[in-house]
Amino acid sequence: MRYTQLFIPTLREVPAEAEAISHKLLLKAGYIRQLASGLYIFLPLSWRVLNRISKILNEEMYAINAQEITMPILHPAEIWQITGRWYDIKEEMFRLKDRTGRDMCLGMTHEEIMTWLASKEIRSYRELPQIWYQIQTKLRDEARPKSGILRTREFIMKDSYSFDIDEEGLEKSYNLHAKAYHKIFTRCGLKFYKVESDPGMMGGACAHEFMAPSPAGEDEIVICEKCDYIANIEIARSISPSVNHPSWELEEVFTPQKRTVKEVSEFLSINPVHFIKSLLLITSEGYVLALLRGDQDLHEKKMSKIIGQFRIAQKDDVLSHFNVEAGFIGPLGYKGKIIADISLKEGVYIAGANKLNYHIKGVNPSIHFAAQWHDIHIAKDGDMCPHCSNKLKIEKAIEIGNIFKLGTKYSIPLNALFLDKKGVERPMIMGSYGIGLARVAAAAVEQNHDEDGIIWTKTIAPFDIEILPLNMNDKQTIELATALHDNLSEIYNSITDKNMDVLLDDRHVRPGVKFKDADLIGIPLQIIIGERSLKNNIIEVKRRRTKEIFKIPLKHLEAEIVKIYYDTE
RNA sequence: CGGGGCGUGGCGCAGUCUGGUAGCGCACACGGUUCGGGACCGUGGAGCCGGAGGUUCAAAUCCUCUCGCCCCGACCA
């Protein structure tokens, strides 16, 4: 393909709105353009990348006997009403009416529709298991689209759905997907982790996310440095580092106007780990006093799994419930429900005295109050692994894929039933599995770039090789470049399972421009044809990632280039 | 939804505080010189200053409303 026949609008200066590296580079290198907030146009280069990712997805889905289909994006409301998600999901769903006034929505995911299909068509255990998937557009009215194509309102997703006769079958389908996902992301050249995650509103018992570590990521994952414990911070458990406890006797301490743990700890010159942080929570059933160690923060998701929906009490709520100003409340003498973090079970602490301007020293949780013990804190750097007690670290990551065990959450309401061997009607056991294509591409850019631009992995690069004829007025240069382009394009590339995709930069521009643009758009191998080296009967081959340059004699050019291509990382 | 920032040729910005009728760099077009890391010289085209209303002899500039975009947070099936 010739550069002059492709639309590659590279920029010298990046539009001011771009912040994330992948956003900046994809704009600058002419891969994407923004239409509106969270809506992006994929230009020829990025579309080629997405197609290569699709090809990998198709191959790996095929390998686990998944069947590609495609479903409408426009859905009738009734199906979503049956499962209740029409009501549970709020502004995030795009809704509209058709000309007859019928309620419709745009698909943000396809559990309902896939299950509907299964319910209509599958009757017998003999027809199961099935895995159906599609690569198709999803629409979500995101509260805050951000970071270029990392979080958009419209995005292309590979979503698959498994239907099994029992839990064992689901386990099998789930593991098949986990393995396929490993292969897919490995082939795409990504660094990634598979982490335990929160099933959220998808429901179901078990879920994992595939996370590509990157500072641009929105998620945080907790990783054990020793064992294989890895989890999303949304559900991660951790052990707070233990401390030596002083042998304080129970004693009131005057702490005038010192309310927060930070203020009191500075005032008394005592480390926050020796404090009990008391938070009053309000649920539909009444008040709950949550207790954390002074160095911890409340994990609201963990808490709401224990007590359901709640909000943190305001100052006047605290005053009316405790008769003490906020900042001085504590568990001592408290008659209501107390939920305390497990790390408080041992030791002696300072807590609010339930008396204005006083705290109380020497509180021993096992003696002085009764609580339910739970892990309700947010894991943080330096905490210990819940499995092996070694150090945990926290990393930011991009969620590039997820897998959910759904069970019967959708099959029961939508009547996706089958007859088992004994003729008994049973609900199908389902799983659902997603991969965001643009996120894979963006994560690849986030993880593979340098100051000059993008560095694509061979498997998903828009082209395999770019030829840079430096002097477009030199006959020998042009002839050689053209011949190379044509010959290389005839050669089979086993990495992409098709012929080499070769980009020939045939623009009449100065060499510097070609070098800059080639580095920017990031094709793995550059072939530089300049008069200077032609005089010595050589050309240069440059690896984009390492910037190594190989000087190749004109004889057997194609074979040498192909060899370097295969040896390129 | 809460907090912050920004809207001026295609892109990056100055001008706004202190009103006087729009400028710089890049890009673009043409001519010439150049040609191994985003060339140089010359000429030229291109902006009703996000929109609406108001104040004023006069508004990019002041006031009110509104729309859009970005960032932080909440949310995220």
Side-chain angles (χ1 to χ4, degrees):
Chain A
M1 180 99 39
R2 271 140 228 260
Y3 201 115
T4 53
Q5 290 167 355
L6 260 183
F7 183 55
I8 312 177
T10 59
L11 301 172
R12 291 220 176 185
E13 279 163 313
V14 194
E17 67 264 14
E19 185 99 349
I21 288 167
S22 60
H23 189 196
K24 283 186 184 166
L25 286 177
L26 290 169
L27 278 173
K28 191 171 184 215
Y31 282 74
I32 57 170
R33 287 295 184 262
Q34 184 182 36
L35 173 65
S37 179
L39 298 175
Y40 283 83
I41 296 163
F42 292 101
L43 298 174
L45 286 184
S46 61
W47 191 243
R48 292 178 78 98
V49 172
L50 293 181
N51 279 328
R52 285 206 168 173
I53 295 169
S54 294
K55 185 160 185 278
I56 292 170
L57 289 167
N58 282 324
E59 286 167 8
E60 297 301 339
M61 286 293 107
Y62 178 80
I64 61 170
N65 290 318
Q67 304 153 74
E68 186 175 22
I69 64 176
T70 191
M71 300 216 122
I73 295 173
L74 186 60
H75 302 172
E78 297 95 78
I79 301 179
W80 288 80
Q81 286 162 351
I82 292 169
T83 61
R85 284 163 113 189
W86 178 263
Y87 311 103
D88 297 341
I89 296 167
K90 304 270 151 45
E91 303 92 340
E92 200 116 356
M93 182 187 275
F94 283 108
R95 295 164 209 254
L96 64 157
K97 286 183 193 294
D98 72 9
R99 64 202 301 160
T100 66
R102 187 187 191 194
D103 280 319
M104 312 286 284
C105 64
L106 301 180
M108 45 202 314
T109 175
H110 278 73
E111 281 76 17
E112 276 79 359
I113 313 301
M114 287 277 181
T115 311
W116 179 90
L117 212 216
S119 78
K120 292 290 172 204
E121 302 301 329
I122 291 174
R123 301 270 79 95
S124 158
Y125 74 94
R126 292 176 194 276
E127 296 165 282
L128 294 174
Q130 293 284 343
I131 300 175
W132 298 336
Y133 81 97
Q134 55 179 348
I135 296 177
Q136 181 243 35
T137 300
K138 304 283 179 254
L139 292 120
R140 296 180 188 176
D141 197 356
E142 285 286 346
R144 186 149 92 85
K146 57 187 286 203
S147 308
I149 57 172
L150 278 173
R151 186 167 207 85
T152 53
R153 295 193 291 174
E154 176 177 323
F155 56 96
I156 303 169
M157 182 165 155
K158 188 288 304 173
D159 48 324
S160 39
Y161 304 82
S162 63
F163 302 87
D164 282 283
I165 57 170
D166 53 19
E167 286 292 334
E168 201 181 316
L170 170 61
E171 184 70 22
K172 209 181 257 176
S173 297
Y174 191 82
N175 288 335
L176 279 175
H177 274 89
K179 276 186 196 148
Y181 278 28
H182 265 97
K183 284 190 190 155
I184 288 162
F185 298 129
T186 303
R187 286 181 68 184
C188 290
L190 292 175
K191 291 189 253 328
F192 65 94
Y193 303 108
K194 178 185 156 203
V195 311
E196 285 178 36
S197 68
D198 184 355
M201 294 276 286
M202 283 297 246
C206 168
H208 287 87
E209 290 163 338
F210 287 80
M211 291 285 192
S214 158
E218 303 178 87
D219 289 276
E220 288 187 308
I221 52 179
V222 175
I223 306 168
C224 177
E225 292 181 345
K226 274 269 168 57
C227 76
D228 56 2
Y229 182 71
I230 306 185
N232 192 308
I233 199 155
E234 289 179 353
I235 60 151
R237 287 162 290 132
S238 80
I239 302 165
S240 295
S242 59
V243 291
N244 292 323
H245 291 280
S247 49
W248 290 327
E249 294 299 316
L250 214 54
E251 169 197 3
E252 279 188 351
V253 190
F254 184 52
T255 51
Q257 293 304 311
K258 306 297 176 201
R259 293 161 194 274
T260 64
V261 167
K262 186 166 176 277
E263 286 165 2
V264 184
S265 105
E266 278 167 10
F267 179 70
L268 300 175
S269 297
I270 296 173
N271 192 309
V273 299
H274 299 300
F275 286 77
I276 291 176
K277 190 187 277 187
S278 308
L279 291 169
L280 186 62
L281 310 181
I282 303 175
T283 72
S284 53
E285 326 228 298
Y287 292 89
V288 173
L289 187 65
L291 304 181
L292 294 142
R293 213 167 77 179
D295 60 329
Q296 297 172 332
D297 290 307
L298 177 68
H299 195 305
E300 298 192 12
K301 271 202 175 151
K302 285 181 184 171
M303 197 61 178
S304 60
K305 275 187 191 148
I306 304 165
I307 60 170
Q309 288 257 338
F310 69 89
R311 66 179 175 90
I312 295 174
Q314 308 284 314
K315 281 193 180 109
D316 19 331
D317 298 321
V318 174
L319 188 59
S320 66
H321 187 63
F322 266 89
N323 273 324
V324 183
E325 271 189 37
F328 303 100
I329 63 167
L332 229 59
Y334 184 70
K335 297 283 183 275
K337 184 171 180 177
I338 299 179
I339 295 182
D341 189 80
I342 35 173
S343 56
L344 291 173
K345 223 167 177 174
E346 304 286 316
V348 176
Y349 298 90
I350 298 170
N354 292 324
K355 180 174 168 188
L356 185 63
N357 290 335
Y358 281 91
H359 280 72
I360 187 158
K361 206 171 172 182
V363 177
N364 187 330
S366 56
I367 301 171
H368 293 130
F369 59 88
Q372 293 176 27
W373 305 97
H374 290 279
D375 177 340
I376 55 169
H377 64 274
I378 301 174
K380 58 180 193 193
D381 244 315
D383 281 2
M384 307 300 171
C385 174
H387 290 175
C388 74
S389 299
N390 278 292
K391 269 224 168 100
L392 293 173
K393 64 174 177 177
I394 296 190
E395 256 183 70
K396 288 207 149 203
I398 299 165
E399 182 185 349
I400 46 177
N402 50 36
I403 54 180
F404 297 94
K405 286 186 185 172
L406 300 173
T408 57
K409 177 170 172 165
Y410 299 92
S411 50
I412 289 180
L414 285 163
N415 258 317
L417 309 173
F418 67 96
L419 290 181
D420 69 11
K421 274 183 187 168
K422 294 174 186 156
V424 179
E425 199 165 60
R426 287 165 49 188
M428 296 172 208
I429 311 296
M430 293 177 54
S432 83
Y433 318 89
I435 291 180
L437 304 233
R439 276 199 181 171
V440 169
V445 175
E446 293 286 345
Q447 291 184 346
N448 298 283
H449 66 270
D450 61 18
E451 63 283 0
D452 294 316
I454 301 170
I455 304 170
W456 291 110
T457 313
K458 282 186 287 187
T459 48
I460 60 172
F463 287 92
D464 304 313
I465 295 172
E466 177 172 0
I467 302 175
L468 310 178
L470 297 187
N471 183 356
M472 290 298 292
N473 297 316
D474 179 61
K475 198 164 160 246
Q476 191 193 1
T477 301
I478 292 180
E479 277 172 6
L480 182 57
T482 309
L484 258 185
H485 170 270
D486 296 350
N487 295 340
L488 286 170
S489 300
E490 298 286 309
I491 295 172
Y492 172 74
N493 178 353
S494 63
I495 287 164
T496 57
D497 187 29
K498 52 190 273 206
N499 283 0
M500 290 281 181
D501 275 319
V502 186
L503 177 62
L504 171 59
D505 190 347
D506 59 340
R507 293 175 300 168
H508 285 262
V509 294
R510 298 165 62 85
V513 176
K514 293 193 179 184
F515 287 133
K516 285 286 183 191
D517 278 339
D519 287 348
L520 228 201
I521 65 180
I523 290 157
L525 214 60
Q526 298 170 12
I527 298 174
I528 300 159
I529 304 177
E531 286 174 288
R532 211 154 69 186
S533 36
L534 274 185
K535 272 180 200 146
N536 303 318
N537 288 316
I538 58 168
I539 58 135
E540 291 157 52
V541 176
K542 180 180 146 191
R543 283 192 178 136
R544 171 63 185 88
R545 187 181 296 275
T546 60
K547 304 203 164 151
E548 296 162 275
I549 291 179
F550 303 86
K551 295 186 188 302
I552 312 294
L554 293 185
K555 282 177 200 159
H556 313 301
L557 258 186
E558 286 83 359
E560 282 299 315
I561 291 167
V562 168
K563 186 161 173 290
I564 294 169
Y565 171 80
Y566 280 117
D567 290 342
T568 298
E569 190 204 331

